[in-house]
Amino acid sequence: MAEVMLKDNHFLVSQTDAHGKIIFANADFVAISGYSLDELIGKSHNIVRHPDMPKAAFKQLWDTIKAGKVWTGFVKNKTKSGDHYWVYATIIESQSCHGSKAYLSARRKAFANEIAEADALYKTMG
Ligand SMILES: Cc1cc2nc3c(=O)[nH]c(=O)nc-3n(C[C@H](O)[C@H](O)[C@H](O)COP(=O)(O)O)c2cc1C
């Protein structure tokens, strides 16, 4: 499947509840994902998970944000049609508009050298 090339000014934002269900996605996230906003809201964020991503990366992500710390890392995501795209993500704890605990992810394009490094690392992980 093809790689979707993000633009330098793409900035993909999504917000989840405390359990990882999507409660917000911005226009860039929606456009790149290939889903409609309605298809994303309320779904587990693993809707965009790519099978090449190691489980251990997500364990580290959740352990970090649940401890109230900032997680940054490279993520390979799958679009609705099965294509993929790489991002550099920053995930922090936030609050939903109802005041409950939430998490926020902001993602920029990952560059070719970053992708090569992350891809090689993830291939060594379980
Ligand atoms: C704010 C936030 C954003 C996330 N963004 C992604 C993402 O873009 N892609 C992804 O595969 N997982 C993302 N996750 C992690 C998923 O919740 C999930 O742990 C991961 O897709 C692995 O799926 P699994 O836990 O069902 O194995 C995000 C989690 C949070 C809290």
Side-chain angles (χ1 to χ4, degrees):
M1 299 302 276
E3 176 164 11
V4 178
M5 303 309 290
L6 269 61
K7 295 188 179 140
D8 288 1
N9 63 353
H10 267 132
F11 200 60
L12 281 56
V13 179
S14 64
Q15 192 181 25
T16 71
D17 67 11
H19 310 290
K21 270 203 181 124
I22 299 172
I23 57 174
F24 170 84
N26 77 343
D28 280 353
F29 186 93
V30 172
I32 298 294
S33 76
Y35 293 97
S36 69
L37 183 60
D38 277 356
E39 287 176 305
L40 292 169
I41 298 295
K43 299 283 165 53
S44 165
H45 215 308
N46 68 11
I47 188 171
V48 295
R49 182 188 180 172
H50 194 284
D52 286 353
M53 281 297 292
K55 266 193 182 312
F58 294 118
K59 183 180 183 318
Q60 197 227 8
L61 181 166
W62 278 101
D63 287 350
T64 304
I65 60 175
K66 278 189 185 164
K69 296 184 191 146
V70 181
W71 184 84
T72 59
F74 295 95
V75 183
K76 181 179 188 176
N77 276 337
K78 199 171 80 168
T79 69
K80 186 176 182 179
S81 67
D83 292 337
H84 67 272
Y85 62 96
W86 281 89
V87 290
Y88 174 70
T90 301
I91 306 186
I92 58 167
E93 191 181 308
S94 74
Q95 246 183 21
S96 78
C97 56
H98 305 295
S100 51
K101 187 189 243 192
Y103 296 108
L104 188 66
S105 178
R107 311 168 183 82
R108 66 155 168 85
K109 163 185 178 155
F111 293 92
N113 60 321
E114 297 173 325
I115 294 171
E117 205 171 309
D119 203 21
L121 173 68
Y122 289 162
K123 285 195 168 106
T124 69
M125 293 167 62

